[in-house]
Every structure is written in C-alpha cells, then in structure tokens.
Amino acid sequence: MNIGEIARLAGVSRSTVSYALTGRRAVSDKTRKRIERVIAESGYRPNASARALKEGRTRTLGLVIPPASRALTDMQLGFVASVVEAAARVDLDVLLSPSGGDHDRSFERLVTGQRVDGVIVMEIRLEDARVARLQQTRIPFVTIGRTAQPDSLSWVDVDYAHLIGRCVHHLADLGHRHIALINRSQELVASGYGPGHRALAGFTEAITERGISGMSLCCADDAPAGHAATRRLLAEHPDVTAIATINEAALRGVQRALDNAGLRIPRDFSVTGVVAQHWAEDFHPPLTAADVPAHDMGSRAVELLLERIAEPESAARHVLLSPPIALRSSTGPARSG
Amino acid sequence: MNIGEIARLAGVSRSTVSYALTGRRAVSDKTRKRIERVIAESGYRPNASARALKEGRTRTLGLVIPPASRALTDMQLGFVASVVEAAARVDLDVLLSPSGGDHDRSFERLVTGQRVDGVIVMEIRLEDARVARLQQTRIPFVTIGRTAQPDSLSWVDVDYAHLIGRCVHHLADLGHRHIALINRSQELVASGYGPGHRALAGFTEAITERGISGMSLCCADDAPAGHAATRRLLAEHPDVTAIATINEAALRGVQRALDNAGLRIPRDFSVTGVVAQHWAEDFHPPLTAADVPAHDMGSRAVELLLERIAEPESAARHVLLSPPIALRSSTGPARSG
DNA sequence: TTGTAAGCGTTATCAA
DNA sequence: TTGATAACGCTTACAA
C-alpha cells in the first residue's frame, strides 16, 4: 500500500494525495474527503524512509546513552525517559545509541548516516571524544552535561558546584565544622566526569570561604560501597558531623553505616546533597537535598536541539539548572562536643 | 556527499561504488582500493533512508516502553539497556516508543510507518491493546511478558508462578506455616499485569499443596508503600513469619518495617521472592531470591525477533525463564512459638 | 570487471 | 483545483 495505490483508488494523482496529506497545497473539500475515506479504509501511512529521503530530514532524534555494560543510574534513566517523552510530544522519534568512547559503530551510524536530524549526548566528560566527533560533522547536537570548553556548545546541566556549595553553607550555618563530600566513583572522576569535578570545586570553595574543615572521598555507585566508605570515614575522621553527596546510589549504604554506628539522623549526624527526588524521599528521614530535575533536563535538551536544527547557525545556548534545596529532615544543628 | 560524488572522484560508476561498499559483487582490488581511499578522505557514509527505501528494510528495531509518566522500574530499565545492547551487537538501531494504551501517535508511526523491521513490546498485559494492534499489521514482533493467549505469539517471560511457588516451598520446608505474598500495585494487578496474576496463582497453588496458610496483598512500587503494607501485615496477621514478594521497589520499606518491629532477618522473620539481582544484593542481609535475568531477557527477545523477521511464517517461539533461587541469607527456620 | 538504467515511495516544481 | 514528472540517494538487474 503506497501513495500511488491510494491515488488510484481515489481517482486522483499522487501529488494530490500528498497535498491532501500534508496540507501544503489547497485541495477541494470533495476530493480531500474522498482521499481521506480511502486512506482510512486501507490503513495507509506514508513510508517514513521515502519521506525522509525526499524531505532531507528524518523526524528522528538520536540519543547517545552510556553502554549497557555500565548500568544506567536512576538519574540517567530519568533523562532517557524525559527525552523520549518530550520528543514524542512533538511527534519525533528517538533512536538510541549505546556508545562509550570513540569508534563505536552505532555512534558512527547515528552521526554520519543521516539517520537522525540531531543528537543528544548524555554523560558528558570534560574531554569527550564523542563531542569532538560531533563537532567535526555538521549535525546539530546538544549535551546533557558540559565539557571543559562549553561556551560554543548548546547544553543543559545542573550547577553541581553551586549546589554543593549551598549544601556546605547550610551545614556550616547549622554549626557543622567538619564536613565530608562523598563523590562518585574514582574511575568516573578520574575519567573527567564533570559533576564529580565541579562538585569538588564547589565544595572546596565553600569550605574555604567558611574557614571550616572538609574532606572528600570517592565512592562507587552502589549501597555496599556507600556503606564501606562511610564506615571508613567515621573511623578515620571521627570529628566529621555531616556529609554532602552527589552519589545517590550510595545513600542506602551511608544510611546503614550511620545506623550501625549508632548515629541518629539528624540528631547526631546530618546528611544532604544533590540527588534525584526519588532518592531524597526514600531516605530515612527524608533527605534535605537539591532535587536533580531529570525530567526537566530532558525536555529542555529537546527544546534546545530543536532550536539548533531549525537554525544551525544561531548562537549556542546554555541552560544551567540550579534547583532549590528542599528542606526535609536529614540536617540539623551540629552535636556540640 | 553522496554515492555519485564518490563515483565521480574515484572515476567509476555509482554501481561500482555500491558494490565495493556492500561486497555483493566482485570489484577489482585496484578500483576497490581507489574507492576506499576516496571514501576515507571524504568521510562518506551511505544515506540510511535511501538505503532503507531501496532495500525495503530499515535495519532498525522498535522498542515499546511504558510512558515516562509511569516511572520505569529498575527491571524495565534493564530490559531497555539489554535490548539496545543486543541490537547494537548485530548493527541494528533501536527506536523507542513510549506508549501506554492504544491510539498513540508514536506507536502508530512505529507499526505502520515502515520505520522499523520489527517491534519488541514490554510490560505486557493479559489483554493488551498494543498486541492486538500489532497482530492486525504484518510487522514481526516479540513481547517481553505474555498475554492471556500466548500460544501464537513469540515471547520471552519469567515463570513467576513457578518461582513464587518454589519460594513458598522453600519457606514451608523451613517450617513456616503462615506466609504472605507482597504483590505489585493494586492498579497494575487490576489492569491485568501478568506477573502479578501469575505470581498469585503460583503462590495459591503452593500454599494449598503444602496445606499451610497464605495471604496476599498488593503494594505500590515504592519504599513507603512497602513500609505501610508490612506494618499493616504485622499488625493484622501476627502469625505470619515470612514474606515472598515480586515487588522489588517495596523491599526497602519492608526492611524498615521489620526493623522497626524489632524483627531480625532471618532469625525472627524470613523474606524471599523474585527480584532483580541488584535489589537482592542490596537487601540486608542479602536476599534469598530468584534473580530476574533482565539482561538475558533483552537479548533473547532480540534473538527471537530476528528469527521472526527472517522467517515471518515460522512457528512462534517462547522462552520461559526460570532462574534458580540464589540462596543468600534472608531465610531461615521459622521461629517456633 | 565494470557501466547503464530502472525503480523504491515520497514531495515539489511546473503546467494546465 | 489538479496532474504529470523530476528529483532524493541508493541497490540491482541487465548489458557490455
């Protein structure tokens, strides 16, 4: 079933069917009705490949995700879901590419095969081979997260530096003088993962500004690692009375370790950070934290990408989100003594 | 940059370039070398739409996921990741469609726009409008999960009935005489969610077989709901000494409620079920459970789909997975008295 | 071993 | 208001 068949059944030419379908040329009511009836009866829908070939656009966006081998975090999942949903709202489809470094076949198909009109890349490193590759091509793209040289690119990111800084100030205001930052995993930070670096920078700056003592440690993205890291922290730095973290997956382990040490939250110990709302609310007691607006980020990314597709030569735009810290129940005055 | 341009630069015809690219016809070493050099220099890659139009296949699979409004569970995420990765291994791309019921534009594009060579649908209901729609079309498809009439369809599923039955037998062997099943949410079960129904069926059958007492309850997919459900359970059914569950997201709440009630696992109370390995290992103590092989399921689904695409008329195939129950530390002899 | 040309299903230009 | 027809970029008979 193709457009010629519909034209034959409706007794008109192929172009008339096409125009009736797209509305790009006036078609008399009578013939449009007839065409619509035939289409409804036959269940015809235009062939996407033919249309893409002719129009020079695919009505499809590419989304580059971390390879499945590295399990996606809750937050990354939130991005994927929100990107897909935002795209669907404007009748765009989303092609997924699980690509880590460079030289990935699926990634190459995406960027050079004219399969998509634009690309969204997530889990950006400060130096990112995929971004470099995309810049070589002419394809419009937007990143979730930003590289070390972000000015010329369109991106949406969370202001980890600022937010972790605010967490530190909040804790300092409550009288805490020894604060620990629990960062993401060693490898991730070592590989130039932006949020890890920027969180540390914001932490250090705020600690310095307040003239208090801070220490930071890396921790793998799971509960057992959080448990181990916190235990070690309590043992080696007994004067620490508060934790700020961007590692949501470690939270459960952090909680268990504090529990086991007989420390009650927030009476004996405070915990705060930047994590998905989901995790903040599941914490016990609910975590005072800046909720990463994953859903918002996905739709903003789609928005920016559509702009770049529409006007490839327009100036790059940035969205740096800084959600408010939701005051819940996991932070309190520092235990005196 | 298109194939004609390459042909011109290499001083050959377009067909020769095409043959050099696909290898479907012999090309002399000398001209192939020349063509390859030109291609490498120009960064040319064939236009995917043109190729799809001509060949009648898109080298793309569709994956229908639940709409983002309903947050994806960890397990669903595992399916998505494994499907995408399995597809990438055989150089296939994956188009995502977030579709709930019927009449979804993105879903319609997928099934009737010839955008994909085949479709994988997840989160299947016993009566599923999407499956019905797919059956009307000629497009090959595979489901993760199965409907009430699964014989004629290709699917991969977990044998929840059998596995929950085995959990019950395991608990009964340990002397438990009053066991509760914590199911998924009321709405999900009411809407005909297969695992919910089959888990209950397997539970009931095993309970009957062992002549012991069982009770089942629904519970929303989050920790607070698990907490509330377990509290109520303990209050209203004080003789229950063990829980079997398929609701991984509720586990943390279950744990907290048992904790608060002063019940130690496994000394005072046993917990087991069918959940993603991730959750079982994060439980404290590690959960004796059948680990849902999400990763395996995704690649099996791709495998079955490729078969159906290659031979649309071949008989439907089913994969019913029944992973072993991993004996960890959350089940023990029933407290006597 | 290579080239010519038809055709995949659209859209859009040019006529009528 | 509509129709014929030429692309879009590719693959693949059919010739040479």
Side-chain angles (χ1 to χ4, degrees), chain B residues 19 22 35 39 52 60 79 124-126 144 151 158 163 188-189 227 231 237 264 267 321:
Chain B
Y19 287 122
T22 62
I35 290 170
I39 287 180
T60 304
F79 293 150
I124 293 293
R125 305 303 155 97
L126 293 172
I144 295 181
D151 288 350
V158 167
L163 289 173
L188 209 54
V189 174
H227 183 86
R231 257 183 62 169
H237 301 269
R264 307 290 294 177
R267 201 193 58 192
L321 296 171

Side-chain angles (χ1 to χ4, degrees), chain A residues 3 14-27 32 35-36 39 44 46 51 54-55 57 59:
Chain A
I3 201 171
R14 301 201 324 263
S15 53
T16 302
V17 175
S18 175
Y19 286 120
L21 231 41
T22 63
R24 292 198 255 256
R25 183 168 93 175
V27 172
R32 204 190 46 250
I35 290 170
E36 277 166 2
I39 287 180
Y44 162 80
R51 184 174 259 187
K54 183 62 188 156
E55 293 192 325
R57 61 170 181 153
R59 298 162 191 267

Side-chain angles (χ1 to χ4, degrees), chain B residues 266-280:
Chain B
R267 201 193 58 192
D268 309 319
F269 206 94
S270 290
V271 182
T272 180
V274 185
V275 304
Q277 181 171 349
H278 176 69
W279 290 91

Side-chain angles (χ1 to χ4, degrees), chain B residues 57 60-61 86-87 90 92 117-120 138-143 152-156 298-319:
Chain B
R57 61 172 180 149
T60 304
L61 305 182
V90 290
L92 257 34
D117 299 333
V119 177
I120 295 173
R138 290 314 244 148
I139 192 162
F141 72 99
V142 165
T143 60
S152 62
L153 268 39
S154 275
W155 47 261
V156 18
S299 48
R300 298 300 282 276
V302 169
E303 204 176 285
L304 288 191
L305 182 55
L306 293 181
E307 276 185 34
R308 293 213 70 67
I309 292 172
E311 302 202 45
E313 302 307 327
S314 64
R317 277 188 50 196
H318 317 144
V319 175

